[in-house]
Amino acid sequence: MDDIQPRSEAEDYSKFVPFSARMMAAMRARESSREDRLFHDPFAELLAGEEAFQRVDQQLTPQDQAYVAVRTRFFDNLLSHSKANQVVLLASGLDTRAYRYPWHPGTDVYELDYPEVLSYKIRLLENTPPTCKHHPIPADLTQSWKEKLLESGYQPDAPSAWLIEGLLMYLMEEQVHALLGVVSELSSASSWLGVDMINVKGVDYGPYEGYFRFGCDIPEELLLEYGWQAEVFQPSDEGANFGRYTEQYSAREVPDVMRAFLVKAQKTNSPLQH
Ligand code: SAM
């Protein structure tokens, strides 16, 4: 457990962001232990480790935990709907879909995250067979990663499904645009994209103050710039709450409210020229 460490007094950004993957795993472990669970991640408890459970308990509310539960299910459903034979998980963290999800035989799953995060997961799950053709790709997503994905076998001309789950809020605005530009360039028509975002006001959200950097109030417009037709949900909306997210969000027109968005999008046309 040495390679993804929790926040200490002097914790810097580069340590906290990978550790956040363990906190996500802790929340998926909690959800998995419920009788009315929205999914079952049998590996999450091992990957999270005790410190991550402590941090979740100290810093996050039950609704924060419900958010991660509904987000996981929302994107599981998107993957099932997409029927894509190649799937790219950007900033996959300790997501175990490559080991737990019932992929169609032969599905290629590409996972990109920092080297220490992927090696930690692979080491702890070394005796667990993936349920897909698994391609872990160590990469910094703010640097060039397109070539690594292509070298690993990704086919840009074939339909794909992408998940960008719990990442964009940690990036600078120009990094978000660069990332979406590459995703768009590599996605053929009818490909699917699942992504979550916070709004601009959410950047200051208490437990993550100083760590969140990017928020977007109108994800539909942002994604349309890159050729994606998006459907945007708040976690309390029908179609996203799964009976688990119970705190009601106000309508999106209401100003000055922190928000999170769950987005599913499909590639329709060429991106606008930047
Ligand atoms: N998608 C996973 C999930 O939902 O559990 C992980 C989400 S976690 C909150 C954020 C993830 O983003 C971490 O795994 C972190 O390592 C990854 N990440 C953040 N910035 C990154 C970057 N520049 N390059 C690669 N991975 C990055």
Side-chain angles (χ1 to χ4, degrees), residues 17 20-21 24 28 71 91-93 113-114 139-141 165-167:
V17 177
S20 69
M24 299 304 118
R28 286 193 288 269
R71 182 176 80 177
S92 58
D113 206 299
Y114 289 125
D140 180 341
L141 293 164
E165 193 178 11
L167 173 68

Side-chain angles (χ1 to χ4, degrees), residues 11-269:
E11 183 182 65
D12 63 21
Y13 193 82
S14 66
K15 290 223 173 62
F16 174 69
V17 177
F19 182 73
S20 69
R22 286 179 53 188
M23 295 169 70
M24 299 304 118
M27 290 187 267
R28 286 193 288 269
R30 288 262 163 79
E31 179 67 21
S32 298
S33 68
R34 292 176 65 121
E35 276 188 15
D36 61 349
R37 60 188 165 237
L38 299 178
F39 55 86
H40 184 222
D41 182 344
F43 314 111
E45 183 176 359
L46 170 71
L47 293 169
E50 192 47 41
E51 296 147 309
F53 284 102
Q54 283 168 14
R55 277 286 285 280
V56 166
D57 289 338
Q58 286 161 8
Q59 293 190 336
L60 300 181
T61 67
Q63 284 301 293
D64 293 328
Q65 301 189 44
Y67 175 68
V68 170
V70 300
R71 182 176 80 177
T72 305
R73 176 60 181 270
F74 184 87
F75 291 134
D76 277 3
N77 286 4
L78 182 149
L79 290 174
S80 149
H81 183 73
S82 82
K83 300 189 171 61
N85 290 326
Q86 55 176 359
V87 174
V88 187
L89 309 175
L90 292 181
S92 58
L94 302 179
D95 175 350
T96 63
R97 288 188 179 95
Y99 301 87
R100 72 164 176 85
Y101 191 80
W103 302 104
H104 294 295
T107 304
D108 287 290
V109 177
Y110 301 88
E111 296 198 42
L112 292 86
D113 206 299
Y114 289 125
E116 70 269 27
V117 175
L118 292 183
S119 62
Y120 170 88
K121 176 162 63 178
I122 288 166
R123 181 159 49 80
L124 266 63
L125 298 182
E126 66 185 347
N127 295 320
T128 305
T131 52
C132 58
K133 286 199 265 172
H134 189 203
H135 309 269
I137 305 174
D140 180 341
L141 293 164
T142 64
Q143 307 296 319
S144 89
W145 51 272
K146 178 175 109 176
E147 291 71 21
K148 293 182 183 180
L149 183 60
L150 293 170
E151 281 161 16
S152 300
Y154 175 84
Q155 302 292 321
D157 297 332
S160 53
W162 299 76
L163 290 190
I164 312 175
E165 193 178 11
L167 173 68
L168 295 190
M169 56 287 282
Y170 291 109
L171 302 184
M172 308 295 284
E173 184 166 0
E174 61 273 21
Q175 295 170 338
V176 170
H177 283 282
L179 185 99
L180 291 177
V182 176
V183 171
S184 185
E185 185 190 332
L186 295 178
S187 299
S188 63
S190 302
S191 291
W192 285 92
L193 168 65
V195 54
D196 70 325
M197 300 186 202
I198 54 172
N199 70 348
V200 173
K201 178 89 181 162
V203 171
D204 296 327
Y205 180 53
Y208 291 101
E209 206 181 334
Y211 293 109
F212 284 169
R213 293 167 163 171
F214 174 77
C216 172
D217 291 337
I218 312 181
E220 293 93 335
E221 285 182 2
L222 172 66
L223 292 174
L224 195 57
E225 276 188 61
Y226 293 94
W228 297 90
Q229 192 79 45
E231 196 178 355
V232 178
F233 295 78
Q234 299 193 85
S236 59
D237 288 349
E238 200 176 328
N241 67 48
F242 299 104
R244 173 78 70 257
Y245 198 95
T246 51
E247 199 172 277
Q248 199 57 38
Y249 270 63
S250 56
R252 284 176 61 188
E253 308 79 73
V254 178
D256 219 26
V257 176
M258 290 185 211
R259 300 183 187 282
F261 300 121
L262 296 170
V263 183
K264 54 181 165 186
Q266 195 163 22
K267 189 82 185 307
T268 54
N269 49 21

